[in-house]
Amino acid sequence: MRILVTGGLGVNGCWVTRDLLTLGHEPVVFDNRPDFTLLRDVSDEFAFVEGDITSLEQLDRACREHRIERICHLAAVYPDTADADPVLGFSVNALATVYVLEAARRNNIDRVSFTSSIGALSRMTEEHLEPQMVPVDEDFPAYPMGSVYGAAKTASELMGIQYKRLFGIDFAAMRFAAIYGIGKGAERHGSHNMIWGELIRSAIAGRPIVIPQGGDQRLDLTYARDVAQSVVKGCLVDGFEGHVFHIGSGRTYTLNDFADAIRAVIPGAQIEVGPGLDPRGMGPLAYYALDISRARRELGYEPQYPPEAAIRDWLEWTERLELTEG
C-alpha cells in the first residue's frame, strides 16, 4: 500500500516510516526539510517529497503523483512554538489537517491516521491526579484552555469527524501520553517535557545529572516506537468504531522508576533525583495516566517498550545511526 507520511523524517514519524517499510508498504515521506539523520540507513528505500504542509496544492499533488492510498499525518509544530506564533501554530496544527483531509477526499483516499495529543483535553479533574490517578478515557471533555497547540489539536479532531460524516473518510486520532525518544531535544520540543530524555542522554555521555525534586511523581510515559505502532495500526487495521484513541504505556512510572531503569541498562549512570512531586515544575495538573482500553480493543495496540526496553532500544539506535545524543 502507498502511504503518505507527513512529518515522516521527524522523531516520531521516522519510526512510522520504518514500520511501514518493515511491513512491506511503500511510504512516501512529505516533510519540510531533507534531514535524513534518523533514517540515514534506509533513506534510499522510500520516496521523499519536500513540501509545505500548509499548502493544499502541494499535498494534493503529492497524493496524486504518488497514487497515495492512505495517510499518516504527523507534521506539527510544538507547544512553545505554537504559543509564540499562534497564526503559525494554528495553520500548521489545524488548518493543515483540513488540507490533508481535503487532499484525501480529492484523491479517493479512504483513511487518515492523525497524531493528536493529550493537550486536546480539558483541565484535569481531581480523581485523575495524585494520589488516585484514575486513567483518563476518551469520554473525558476535550475543550482545552491552556495552549494554542491543544486548541489546534481539538479542532483537527473535530474536522476529522466532519470529513468522516460528509465523505466517509475513516479518521483515527491518537492522543498520546508524554512521549520520549531519540531526537526529542529541548530545543525543538520544549524543555519542560525533556527530563526523561535528558536523563538518558546524560547517562550515555557519562555526565552526572541532578533533578532537585519529583522522584515520587507518577506519569504515563510513551516511547516513540509505541507512538509509531499506534499510528500504523490506525492506518492499517481493518476497521474501528471510535475516532479518538488514547495511547500510553498502560501504567504509570515514577521518576525514580525511570532512573532505576537507566541504571540497570547503563551501570554507573550518575543520577540523583530528589523526593516529592512535580519534577517539571508545571503543577499537579500536568501528571495523569491514559486509559488505553479502546486502542487495545479496536486497534490491537499493545505497548512494547516499558522503560528498560526503551532505554536499551535507544542505546542500540544511537550506536546504529551514529548519533550524538549526549
Side-chain angles (χ1 to χ4, degrees), residues 184-230:
K184 289 186 76 67
E187 69 279 0
R188 291 189 61 195
H189 298 84
S191 59
H192 58 269
N193 286 321
M194 293 302 109
I195 289 175
W196 297 269
E198 184 57 28
L199 288 175
I200 298 173
R201 285 189 289 272
S202 295
I204 291 172
R207 182 175 64 244
I209 184 169
V210 177
I211 307 297
Q213 68 178 53
D216 304 309
Q217 179 68 63
R218 291 180 291 165
L219 185 65
D220 192 347
L221 294 167
T222 312
Y223 188 51
R225 297 195 67 180
D226 278 331
V227 168
Q229 177 205 162
S230 71

Side-chain angles (χ1 to χ4, degrees), residues 14-293:
C14 71
W15 299 111
V16 172
T17 302
R18 284 187 185 278
D19 286 356
L20 291 172
L21 286 170
T22 299
L23 292 169
H25 297 284
E26 299 177 35
V28 176
V29 171
F30 186 100
D31 216 313
N32 66 351
R33 77 280 187 267
D35 179 356
F36 297 94
T37 302
L38 299 176
L39 289 166
R40 60 179 53 152
D41 56 321
V42 292
S43 60
D44 60 348
E45 297 181 25
F46 58 87
F48 173 68
V49 178
E50 185 172 357
D52 179 358
I53 195 65
T54 64
S55 169
L56 174 56
E57 290 72 21
Q58 291 182 36
L59 285 164
D60 185 27
R61 184 184 313 117
C63 291
R64 182 175 64 256
E65 292 181 353
H66 291 273
R67 304 188 310 281
I68 296 299
E69 297 168 82
R70 289 189 175 173
I71 300 175
C72 295
H73 177 35
L74 295 92
V77 295
Y78 287 86
D80 291 350
T81 302
D83 273 356
D85 187 341
V87 173
L88 173 68
F90 197 82
S91 296
V92 173
N93 291 349
L95 183 58
T97 305
V98 179
Y99 289 162
V100 166
L101 290 162
E102 179 61 18
R105 183 192 70 80
R106 292 183 181 185
N107 290 277
N108 298 311
I109 296 166
D110 65 356
R111 183 176 300 177
V112 174
S113 183
F114 168 63
T115 51
S116 186
S117 169
I118 55 175
L121 296 173
S122 299
R123 180 185 174 93
M124 204 50 56
T125 51
E126 184 176 357
E127 68 272 19
H128 298 298
L129 306 174
E130 294 278 11
Q132 293 175 268
M133 296 284 278
V134 175
V136 183
D137 67 20
E138 293 85 355
D139 292 330
F140 192 84
Y143 195 82
M145 302 294 287
S147 69
V148 172
Y149 182 82
K153 291 296 188 179
T154 302
S156 292
E157 291 180 4
L158 293 172
M159 287 303 293
I161 296 169
Q162 299 312 311
Y163 269 76
K164 169 68 173 178
R165 177 181 67 86
L166 292 169
F167 308 114
I169 298 171
D170 283 341
F171 180 78
M174 313 300 165
R175 292 182 187 151
F176 300 107
I179 301 171
Y180 66 105
I182 291 172
K184 289 186 76 67
E187 69 279 0
R188 291 189 61 195
H189 298 84
S191 59
H192 58 269
N193 286 321
M194 293 302 109
I195 289 175
W196 297 269
E198 184 57 28
L199 288 175
I200 298 173
R201 285 189 289 272
S202 295
I204 291 172
R207 182 175 64 244
I209 184 169
V210 177
I211 307 297
Q213 68 178 53
D216 304 309
Q217 179 68 63
R218 291 180 291 165
L219 185 65
D220 192 347
L221 294 167
T222 312
Y223 188 51
R225 297 195 67 180
D226 278 331
V227 168
Q229 177 205 162
S230 71
V231 175
V232 170
K233 286 184 180 297
C235 178
L236 299 177
V237 72
D238 285 343
F240 47 82
E241 295 179 7
H243 67 276
V244 173
F245 300 91
H246 283 183
I247 304 296
S249 61
R251 57 161 291 180
T252 58
Y253 299 91
T254 67
L255 192 56
N256 281 326
D257 292 334
F258 198 78
D260 287 343
I262 295 172
R263 295 185 190 102
V265 177
I266 308 175
Q270 300 176 64
I271 301 170
E272 182 180 339
V273 182
L277 304 178
D278 193 16
R280 297 184 289 180
M282 296 176 66
L285 295 175
Y287 305 92
Y288 46 92
L290 298 183
D291 183 339
I292 63 174
S293 300

